[in-house]
Amino acid sequence: MAPVHNFNAGPAVLPQAVLAQAQAELLDYQGRGMSILEMSHRSAEYEAINTSAENRFKTLLGLDAADQVLFMQGGASTQFALIPLNFLPAGATADYIVTGAWGLKAVEEARRIGQVHVAADTADANYRSLPDSLALTPGAAYCHLTTNETIQGVQWPTLPALGDTPLIADMSSDILSRPIDAVRYALIYAGAQKNIGPAGVTVVIVQQGFLDHADTRIPAIFRYATFAKNHSLYNTPPVFAVYLLELVLGWITDLGGLEAMSVRNTAKADLIYAAIDRSGGFYHGHAAAPARSLMNITFRLPEPALEKQFVAAAEADGMVGLAGHRSVGGIRASIYNALEPAACAELAAFMDEFARRNG
Amino acid sequence: MAPVHNFNAGPAVLPQAVLAQAQAELLDYQGRGMSILEMSHRSAEYEAINTSAENRFKTLLGLDAADQVLFMQGGASTQFALIPLNFLPAGATADYIVTGAWGLKAVEEARRIGQVHVAADTADANYRSLPDSLALTPGAAYCHLTTNETIQGVQWPTLPALGDTPLIADMSSDILSRPIDAVRYALIYAGAQKNIGPAGVTVVIVQQGFLDHADTRIPAIFRYATFAKNHSLYNTPPVFAVYLLELVLGWITDLGGLEAMSVRNTAKADLIYAAIDRSGGFYHGHAAAPARSLMNITFRLPEPALEKQFVAAAEADGMVGLAGHRSVGGIRASIYNALEPAACAELAAFMDEFARRNG
């Protein structure tokens, strides 16, 4: 079948050029007579991939040489537990800013480990907007936020003022989608399966100075320091996922890096938000305008039955993955880095036509 | 380049038929117009893969319907920590039987979490043999052993008597290589990257009755019960790794299941052990005869310099991955399920010739 336009929320669309390369060399990696899937993680070939992936992150994000780039497993959900295990000692408090479902999950896991203070929670606003103010704890061990809430489609356009508290950010659904001021983050983490690769690898970027404060009494496999010391080769890494990730980082680099991604993603999002805004209320965006996500565009139609029709008709037109998260319903268009602008243009045209026929 | 004979210890050789299928459908999975790498883990297609992989395990191992088959991340090294977190409450003791490097690592992680008793440790015998006796703790929370030690090449041919204590086994390097009496194991775990798939997925098989005793206060992502309740779909699974795993399980099934694997693997190992035994001492097997592994065949040559020559000459003949683990040196031939018998025959002939020239 011809390639579809893939609006899946994650795992999500990957660059066609990356998939084509992976296919071409799947049985024989670099003339070695075996698949990358069969190759030792101690081989020179894999070490080159691992090092290149680290370096590409450092270049793309403008990281310091002393920053650590780690490739881990278990997704952001595992990070929810590892962060307080490493960085929330007894007697200390961690601040959490909750702007959607994933931030809430992060809080719930942290509560099983240490003392947590919710510095803001926009649940009363149905997670449509960003908090007006933050009740920060002086001297908190860290402050955690979610830069983009995938389910609600709410994104911080810029960082709030947080004082001197080390900032930890879940960037699972917007990492490498735009430039960031990396120096402001003590730790960044992201499951790869949205903007930067397939499911099965989680990227963690941590400042060495912050890492020096981590607990050393927890099991070795839970310590970020173990991964840092061993360049993510303490135990067997998810070789194929890191291999694809490295190819995706190369693709981002070749397209011009994060400035180019930001231009591309903003233009894509504008196409769809414009279709919402010109629909005369037929489409109702979930996020308040200042909190609109450039990655996950969430909206409702007048009736749930119409939403089902919308999803089915779009799929018939080759646009898949548009149903909202099962916990909230509605429509969600996830338009990560790899999604081509043409897909967003087609969706916007489809939205106009669907509104005209059903409005 | 023509396919080599791949004796890597893990990640390791995969069935060529599985790789060919993965390559053929990498850009368009089942006519859906997208790669399996781009497909939601909530899609009907992935749920079918997930369910089939669970069911294939149950059939191949003869599991009870009530046994849980879980697909997790982080490798056996993560299990070393999760097992005591779930099953070693304060005040209880867990027994560990140590027959090599991996069992020792499991003990070290467990000690960070609870009270551990080493019921046997063959370190004094340089991990060449299995223990003569076990100093078991009456009423232990569980007893942990490693069925096959990948680095030393030492395998339990049959299980020792362990009384009523729940048995937990690390089967990372021999799972599905031979039939087992599954009812004897409270919990089995294995990184996939040796016998059953690529790196990036870890299989856990746990009896429901044992799972009912697990700690419910630890973070949700660390609880086996979370994975059991959600059929391993609590958070995003490593989709591609489970997809390949399911294909490998189909390949094992088509070849006749675990009885056929056992016949195949025993014949393969016999070829190489025979070459050791007929070399007149030129090759010196590491493992004592009753503990010889059918998966990892470890041996020394008279001089380290000769071992380097051996590895290089074998590689020139298209046989790769024969260097022993960096911690012990020597030679290691890993001959997992997917390695073809012809590879072992070629290696045995090479060994004869190398001994003749250099002995």
Side-chain angles (χ1 to χ4, degrees):
Chain A
M1 169 173 176
V4 294
H5 291 313
N6 181 350
F7 293 92
N8 278 334
V13 61
L14 290 165
Q16 278 294 307
V18 166
L19 291 172
Q21 180 173 344
Q23 184 183 46
E25 63 194 19
L26 196 71
L27 297 189
D28 184 9
Y29 184 71
Q30 296 196 343
R32 282 288 305 272
M34 67 176 81
S35 175
I36 183 69
L37 288 155
E38 304 174 295
M39 210 164 271
S40 171
H41 57 295
R42 308 286 174 196
S43 64
E45 287 79 1
Y46 184 71
E47 293 217 4
I49 291 168
N50 190 55
T51 301
S52 173
E54 275 185 27
N55 289 338
R56 284 195 187 279
F57 262 110
K58 290 189 175 184
T59 303
L60 283 166
L61 284 171
L63 302 178
D64 281 355
D67 290 337
Q68 301 283 356
V69 179
L70 315 178
F71 303 117
M72 303 179 72
Q73 294 184 63
S77 295
T78 298
Q79 299 299 316
F80 297 164
L82 295 185
I83 287 163
L85 273 177
N86 277 269
F87 298 113
L88 183 50
T93 297
D95 281 351
Y96 279 72
I97 299 169
V98 179
T99 54
W102 292 107
L104 196 58
K105 281 205 165 192
V107 169
E108 286 164 1
E109 290 288 66
R111 282 207 172 107
R112 303 216 164 242
I113 291 159
Q115 173 103 5
V116 170
H117 169 69
V118 176
D121 185 339
T122 55
D124 286 349
N126 200 16
Y127 296 127
R128 292 178 189 276
S129 51
L130 297 168
D132 297 323
S133 63
L134 306 173
L136 298 171
T137 306
Y142 60 82
C143 179
H144 179 282
L145 60 70
T146 312
T147 50
N148 183 68
E149 281 284 354
T150 320
I151 292 176
Q152 280 80 17
V154 166
Q155 187 177 31
W156 288 89
T158 56
L159 273 184
L162 294 167
D164 293 336
T165 300
L167 175 60
I168 296 182
D170 178 356
M171 288 194 190
S172 291
S173 48
D174 64 359
I175 191 165
L176 301 193
S177 69
R178 58 181 179 177
I180 59 167
D181 189 6
V183 74
R184 289 194 60 189
Y185 299 87
L187 189 150
I188 292 166
Y189 65 97
Q193 69 271 12
K194 298 172 192 298
N195 269 307
I196 52 175
V201 58
T202 311
V203 175
V204 175
I205 296 158
V206 57
Q207 291 182 358
Q208 185 61 48
F210 185 59
L211 189 52
D212 290 341
H213 292 98
D215 193 333
T216 57
R217 297 159 304 171
I218 58 175
I221 196 71
F222 291 162
R223 282 178 239 153
Y224 294 108
T226 301
F227 284 77
K229 186 179 160 199
N230 294 282
H231 283 274
S232 307
L233 292 168
Y234 170 72
N235 70 331
T236 311
V239 168
F240 190 73
V242 177
Y243 154 76
L244 276 181
L245 168 79
E246 196 277 333
L247 292 180
V248 173
L249 300 187
W251 175 86
I252 292 172
T253 302
D254 291 348
L255 252 68
L258 302 193
E259 287 289 353
M261 279 297 128
S262 179
V263 170
R264 172 182 164 101
N265 289 326
T266 303
K268 282 152 57 181
D270 284 350
L271 287 168
I272 300 173
Y273 283 119
I276 292 172
D277 292 342
R278 70 178 167 247
S279 73
F282 181 78
Y283 301 114
H284 179 74
H286 175 80
R292 280 178 162 181
S293 169
L294 300 180
M295 297 281 102
N296 309 98
I297 300 175
T298 49
F299 55 96
R300 306 298 308 230
L301 271 63
E303 303 280 346
L306 269 177
E307 291 167 349
K308 280 196 175 179
Q309 275 184 46
F310 180 96
V311 170
E315 188 156 335
D317 276 11
M319 290 173 278
V320 305
L322 286 162
H325 190 269
R326 60 212 155 94
S327 65
V328 297
I331 307 294
R332 173 173 57 175
S334 297
I335 60 166
Y336 302 121
N337 283 345
L339 190 77
E340 291 298 329
C344 296
E346 271 191 47
L347 177 59
F350 171 85
M351 288 170 68
D352 291 344
E353 177 65 12
F354 191 88
R356 196 186 58 76
R357 289 201 189 174
N358 297 280
Chain B
M1 168 173 178
V4 294
H5 292 312
N6 181 350
F7 293 92
N8 277 335
V13 60
L14 290 165
Q16 277 294 308
V18 166
L19 291 171
Q21 180 174 343
Q23 184 183 46
E25 63 195 19
L26 196 71
L27 296 190
D28 184 9
Y29 184 70
Q30 297 196 344
R32 283 286 307 272
M34 67 176 81
S35 174
I36 183 69
L37 288 155
E38 304 175 293
M39 209 164 272
S40 171
H41 56 296
R42 309 285 175 197
S43 64
E45 287 79 2
Y46 183 71
E47 292 218 4
I49 290 168
N50 190 54
T51 302
S52 173
E54 276 186 26
N55 289 339
R56 285 195 185 278
F57 262 109
K58 290 189 175 185
T59 303
L60 283 166
L61 284 170
L63 302 179
D64 282 354
D67 290 337
Q68 301 282 356
V69 178
L70 315 178
F71 303 118
M72 304 179 70
Q73 294 184 63
S77 295
T78 298
Q79 298 299 315
F80 297 164
L82 295 186
I83 287 164
L85 273 178
N86 277 269
F87 297 114
L88 183 50
T93 297
D95 282 351
Y96 279 73
I97 298 170
V98 179
T99 55
W102 292 107
L104 195 58
K105 280 205 165 192
V107 168
E108 285 165 0
E109 291 289 66
R111 280 208 173 108
R112 302 215 166 243
I113 291 159
Q115 172 105 3
V116 170
H117 169 69
V118 176
D121 185 339
T122 55
D124 286 349
N126 200 15
Y127 295 126
R128 292 177 190 277
S129 52
L130 298 167
D132 298 323
S133 63
L134 306 173
L136 299 171
T137 305
Y142 61 82
C143 179
H144 179 282
L145 61 71
T146 313
T147 51
N148 184 70
E149 281 284 355
T150 318
I151 291 176
Q152 279 81 17
V154 165
Q155 188 177 31
W156 288 90
T158 56
L159 273 184
L162 293 168
D164 293 336
T165 300
L167 176 61
I168 295 182
D170 177 356
M171 288 194 190
S172 291
S173 50
D174 65 358
I175 191 164
L176 301 195
S177 70
R178 58 181 180 178
I180 59 166
D181 189 7
V183 73
R184 290 194 60 189
Y185 299 88
L187 188 151
I188 292 166
Y189 65 98
Q193 69 270 14
K194 299 169 190 298
N195 269 305
I196 52 175
V201 57
T202 311
V203 176
V204 175
I205 296 157
V206 57
Q207 292 181 359
Q208 185 61 49
F210 185 59
L211 189 53
D212 290 340
H213 293 98
D215 193 332
T216 57
R217 297 159 304 171
I218 59 176
I221 196 72
F222 291 162
R223 283 177 236 154
Y224 295 108
T226 301
F227 284 78
K229 186 179 161 199
N230 294 283
H231 284 274
S232 306
L233 292 169
Y234 170 70
N235 69 331
T236 311
V239 168
F240 191 73
V242 176
Y243 154 76
L244 275 180
L245 168 79
E246 196 276 334
L247 292 179
V248 172
L249 300 187
W251 175 86
I252 292 173
T253 302
D254 291 347
L255 252 68
L258 302 194
E259 287 289 354
M261 280 297 129
S262 179
V263 170
R264 171 182 165 102
N265 289 326
T266 303
K268 282 153 55 180
D270 284 350
L271 287 167
I272 300 173
Y273 282 119
I276 292 173
D277 293 342
R278 69 177 168 248
S279 73
F282 181 79
Y283 300 114
H284 179 73
H286 175 81
R292 280 178 162 181
S293 170
L294 300 180
M295 298 280 100
N296 309 98
I297 300 175
T298 51
F299 54 97
R300 306 300 305 234
L301 272 64
E303 304 281 345
L306 270 177
E307 291 167 346
K308 281 197 174 176
Q309 276 184 44
F310 179 96
V311 169
E315 189 157 335
D317 276 11
M319 290 173 278
V320 306
L322 286 162
H325 190 269
R326 61 212 154 96
S327 64
V328 297
I331 308 294
R332 172 173 57 175
S334 298
I335 60 166
Y336 302 121
N337 283 346
L339 191 77
E340 290 298 327
C344 295
E346 271 191 49
L347 177 59
F350 171 85
M351 289 170 68
D352 291 344
E353 177 65 12
F354 191 88
R356 196 185 60 74
R357 289 200 189 175
N358 298 280

